[in-house]
Amino acid sequence: MSQNKSGVEENEQQNISRRGFVSNVATAAMLPLLAQTKVGAQTPALQPDRTLRPAPAQSAAKLITRQREPENLEFNFATLDSLLTPNDRFYVRSHFATPNLDAEKWQLRVEGAVERPFTISYAELQQMPSRKLQTTLECAGNGRVALVPPANGVQWDQGGVSTAEWTGVSLSMLLARAGIRPEAVEVVLEGADSGEIKTTPRPAGAIHYARSLPLERARQQDVILATKMNGSDLPVSHGFPVRAVVPGWYGMASVKWLTRILVLPSSFQGYFQTIDYAIWERQEGVARRVLITSMQVKASIARPSFRESIRAGSGYRIYGAAWAGETAVTKVEISINGGQSWQPARLSNLPVPYTWRFWEYEWRVPMQPGRYAIMARATDAKGNAQSMQRDADRENYMINHVLPVEVEVA
Ligand SMILES: Nc1nc2c(c(=O)[nH]1)N[C@H]1C(S)=C(S)[C@@H](COP(=O)(O)O)O[C@H]1N2
Ligand SMILES: [Mo]
């Protein structure tokens, strides 16, 4: 692990090489997710903590660089210790160079299939009534490093996910002010960032980052245009001065550096809507392209970390977080034998809508030395449990099948 100028850990190579680690458990094709740092003896107790905490100064808490340009930084999931991820530990996922916007000059244009198109300034937006919303954001490519064979895209380990409290104005207020015309069906959110796509198929020139929401979803009060993250102005990397937050959906819907809202009378066929951030789905035997929306139920293990050495006969606390997008996590189960049998984990904080829940499990570590495959599997309120198998039609997105973390008991 080397340090670059900004002090961030560089271990992409290490992760990629670990992909080849052969596991002899039931899910051999799925690679253990790799934690960067051993949590060690002074593991902080998981607090049912809804308050904000100052970012700890330890280097272990720093973001992991996956890509420098554009900026793609991963939350160090092994350091999970609070419900809200401090801003300087929150993962960053950007497709183009980070735009440096001046809040004084920033303007948001609302136009398209509306009665009264208008432009609003930052100061004006700040004067509107705002709401606070806590939500877990997960990149749809989170966990991709585990896919075999390797999938295209940023090689996220477990940390393409974080949670924050956002403050902002409901998108619905701006839509109401503009007056939605009857033919409107979707609302496109466009960012100020732009660039060229490097993989085919692709448009010939530069495009902006843009995603749409069905009108129905766009009108829900909990879709907000956030100006604050965990009580501070949005950091530049997270969309300063204004970003959308679409709770319960994968991160791609929460458009950063928002500068335009375009109401459409038809479904949006943008690049990040149909080519990227879309998967295949089979219905009645027909495979069709489906856009990615709601986060799927998932439990991730923060402790132990990959290949951690654990003392035989000891008591060991396995823990992590689980989330389920627009619905609630109802159950997390643990297996220490590669999925042959499962025990319930304890859900350790009260459920907060759209927000991950901590879980923990006291493991009485066997006397028998050897390699153990630890798994966590979550179930949501709709009865969906995490699959044991990867659905290949999802290509490089929506990675929520059960992944083992292998440890050495010695
Ligand atoms: N304008 C813009 N918005 C964007 C993106 C982007 O590249 N440009 N990336 C999206 C993706 S894929 C994710 S996962 C989230 C990440 O938000 P974060 O960087 O604040 O964690 O932002 C989304 N919004
Ligand atoms: Mo993402």
Side-chain angles (χ1 to χ4, degrees):
M1 224 175 272
S2 65
Q3 300 276 66
N4 70 13
K5 281 190 216 97
S6 53
V8 262
E9 289 165 5
E10 299 257 292
N11 41 21
E12 184 165 4
Q13 278 319 110
Q14 215 176 336
N15 272 349
I16 289 166
S17 66
R18 284 190 204 168
R19 189 200 307 273
F21 179 75
V22 178
S23 148
N24 58 2
V25 295
T27 45
M30 305 152 199
L31 237 240
L33 288 175
L34 327 158
Q36 315 307 320
T37 313
K38 281 195 182 166
V39 179
Q42 323 95 306
T43 303
L46 286 183
Q47 300 295 331
D49 174 0
R50 291 209 228 174
T51 59
L52 306 176
R53 293 182 172 205
Q58 308 95 308
S59 63
K62 292 246 172 80
L63 288 158
I64 301 154
T65 302
R66 292 287 168 226
Q67 199 179 357
R68 238 171 284 187
E69 190 60 54
E71 190 178 41
N72 285 296
L73 311 173
E74 175 160 346
F75 168 55
N76 188 338
F77 198 79
T79 66
L80 180 76
D81 60 1
S82 60
L83 216 54
L84 299 181
T85 316
N87 292 356
D88 60 356
R89 293 168 63 192
F90 197 107
Y91 85 97
V92 175
R93 202 304 177 227
S94 298
H95 293 78
F96 303 122
T98 304
N100 229 314
L101 304 179
D102 180 346
E104 304 256 298
K105 294 188 190 132
W106 177 89
Q107 290 194 320
L108 175 64
R109 179 88 188 140
V110 183
E111 60 189 3
V114 297
E115 306 291 353
R116 301 168 294 276
F118 67 94
T119 302
I120 188 170
S121 71
Y122 186 63
E124 233 185 307
L125 191 74
Q126 294 274 57
Q127 278 155 24
M128 292 176 70
S130 67
R131 53 199 291 139
K132 280 187 180 155
L133 180 88
Q134 193 173 300
T135 184
T136 295
L137 274 194
E138 182 188 17
C139 182
N142 187 33
R144 188 178 287 146
V145 74
L147 297 181
V148 178
N152 289 335
V154 178
Q155 294 298 302
W156 300 108
D157 190 342
Q158 295 194 98
V161 60
S162 303
T163 298
E165 182 195 76
W166 312 90
T167 310
V169 172
S170 286
L171 170 60
S172 64
M173 293 187 74
L174 299 188
L175 296 177
R177 175 168 160 188
I180 300 294
R181 288 216 303 257
E183 67 270 25
V185 293
E186 286 194 13
V187 178
V188 179
L189 306 174
E190 188 183 72
D193 53 330
S194 66
E196 289 199 15
I197 305 296
K198 300 198 172 82
T199 50
T200 50
R202 62 189 180 117
I207 57 169
H208 282 266
Y209 186 86
R211 278 282 300 196
S212 83
L213 294 171
L215 187 56
E216 223 179 301
R217 184 75 172 111
R219 276 178 154 158
Q220 281 165 15
Q221 304 237 313
D222 59 12
V223 174
I224 62 169
L225 308 188
T227 50
K228 289 197 185 306
M229 178 179 183
N230 291 330
S232 315
D233 286 347
L234 276 184
V236 173
S237 299
H238 295 290
F240 182 83
V242 180
R243 79 172 303 167
V245 175
V246 182
W249 284 29
Y250 281 106
M252 81 272 127
S254 293
V255 176
K256 305 191 278 189
W257 311 292
L258 187 69
T259 45
R260 188 157 74 122
I261 294 171
L262 177 64
V263 180
L264 286 187
S266 57
S267 77
F268 180 53
Q269 302 292 308
Y271 180 82
F272 296 98
Q273 192 93 7
T274 53
I275 309 287
D276 204 359
Y277 293 105
I279 57 165
W280 295 100
E281 208 173 82
R282 286 165 208 267
Q283 282 179 16
E284 287 125 356
V286 182
R288 49 176 204 143
R289 205 71 179 147
V290 175
L291 79 154
I292 296 173
T293 58
S294 192
M295 289 188 279
Q296 302 292 296
V297 63
K298 182 170 178 178
S300 270
I301 300 171
R303 182 180 194 248
S305 54
F306 175 67
R307 281 190 171 171
E308 186 171 323
S309 174
I310 297 176
R311 199 155 44 84
S314 64
Y316 186 96
R317 196 163 57 97
I318 299 171
Y319 69 71
W323 55 96
E326 295 173 280
T327 177
V329 172
T330 49
K331 185 167 72 175
V332 174
E333 297 160 291
I334 302 302
S335 174
I336 50 114
N337 54 16
Q340 290 165 50
S341 61
W342 298 87
Q343 273 80 43
R346 194 172 75 84
L347 292 167
S348 51
N349 59 291
L350 292 172
V352 178
Y354 306 123
T355 304
W356 59 22
R357 246 183 122 169
F358 290 156
W359 54 264
E360 58 188 8
Y361 177 76
E362 292 298 334
W363 184 26
R364 296 177 62 86
V365 184
M367 292 305 296
Q368 179 71 34
R371 199 171 268 184
Y372 289 77
I374 314 243
M375 295 176 172
R377 177 177 69 183
T379 303
D380 72 20
K382 292 178 180 160
N384 301 306
Q386 285 180 259
S387 161
M388 296 300 290
Q389 302 296 328
R390 172 71 184 155
D391 175 355
D393 274 341
R394 291 181 178 180
E395 297 188 305
N396 54 349
Y397 287 118
M398 290 170 75
I399 302 145
N400 78 321
H401 59 294
V402 173
L403 289 160
V405 170
E406 290 201 358
V407 296
E408 300 278 357
V409 169

